[in-house]
């Protein structure tokens, strides 16, 4: 089953305890972000207002006792897109999202070959499908055993560091 539009929004709103994401790509080509990325690359800051819809949703989920988190696997040097996304992460963290970074620049990737996914309540999995260049081609509900994804989450959390700690020494 493919998720888009309202069905995608309902996947988040239906979570009882947690929405968690693994991100594995250095670039995500999202058409609605192209102008914002161009402005960022021209030196314009990413303001909280630019991230307000997600900020508000995360804040509401957290206020309601739910947890939103992610781990992004990266290598250095960071792509322009990751530098842009990291500015978003600053606002996500302010809203209450737990953002962590797993840097595999100088070590093996413990999740090599694992694709992007969202996991809701540690039981419902949505596979995020992308072309090699980062263009999203779909979101697919996974109907198999969620245990491998719970294992991926455990590994990602154990091997990553909080976003705030990761960016302390970076010149973004």
């Amino acid at each position: 089953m493919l998720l888009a539009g309202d069905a995608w929004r309902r996947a988040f709103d239906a979570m009882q305890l947690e929405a968690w994401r693994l991100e594995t790509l250095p670039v995500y080509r999202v058409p609605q972000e192209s102008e914002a990325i161009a402005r960022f690359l021209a030196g314009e800051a990413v303001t909280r207002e630019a991230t307000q819809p997600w900020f508000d949703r995360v804040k509401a989920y957290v206020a309601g006792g739910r947890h939103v988190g992610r781990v992004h696997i990266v290598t250095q040097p960071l792509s322009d897109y990751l530098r842009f996304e990291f500015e978003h992460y600053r606002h996500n963290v302010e809203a209450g999202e737990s953002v962590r970074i797993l840097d595999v620049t100088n070590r093996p990737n413990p999740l090599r070959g694992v694709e992007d996914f969202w996991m809701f309540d540690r039981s419902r999995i949505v596979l995020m499908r992308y072309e090699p260049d980062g263009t999203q081609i779909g979101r697919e509900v996974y109907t198999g055993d969620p245990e491998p994804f719970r294992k991926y989450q455990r590994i990602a959390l154990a091997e990553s560091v909080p976003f705030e700690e990761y960016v302390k020494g970076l010149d973004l």
Side-chain angles (χ1 to χ4, degrees), residues 78-91:
L78 298 177
S79 67
D80 287 341
Y81 181 86
L82 282 176
R83 291 186 313 101
F84 167 76
E85 190 163 64
F86 274 28
E87 293 303 311
H88 280 258
Y89 288 166
R90 292 179 195 282
H91 302 297

Side-chain angles (χ1 to χ4, degrees), residues 118-149:
W118 275 99
M119 180 166 53
F120 299 96
D121 298 325
R122 299 182 46 79
S123 61
R124 293 184 328 278
I125 312 301
V126 177
L127 303 174
M128 306 297 288
R129 305 289 190 185
Y130 296 93
E131 295 287 354
D133 72 351
T135 301
Q136 188 175 48
I137 54 176
R139 301 177 191 107
E140 182 181 337
V141 175
Y142 175 79
T143 58
D145 181 4
E147 182 52 35
F149 296 91

Side-chain angles (χ1 to χ4, degrees), residues 15 19 27 37 70 74 77 90 118 131-132 155 157:
M15 76 154 146
V27 175
I37 291 170
R70 76 179 70 216
V74 305
R90 292 179 195 282
W118 275 99
E131 295 287 354
I155 292 168
L157 291 172

Side-chain angles (χ1 to χ4, degrees), residues 36-46 83:
I37 291 170
R39 288 192 307 271
F40 171 76
L41 293 175
E44 188 175 309
V46 176
R83 291 186 313 101

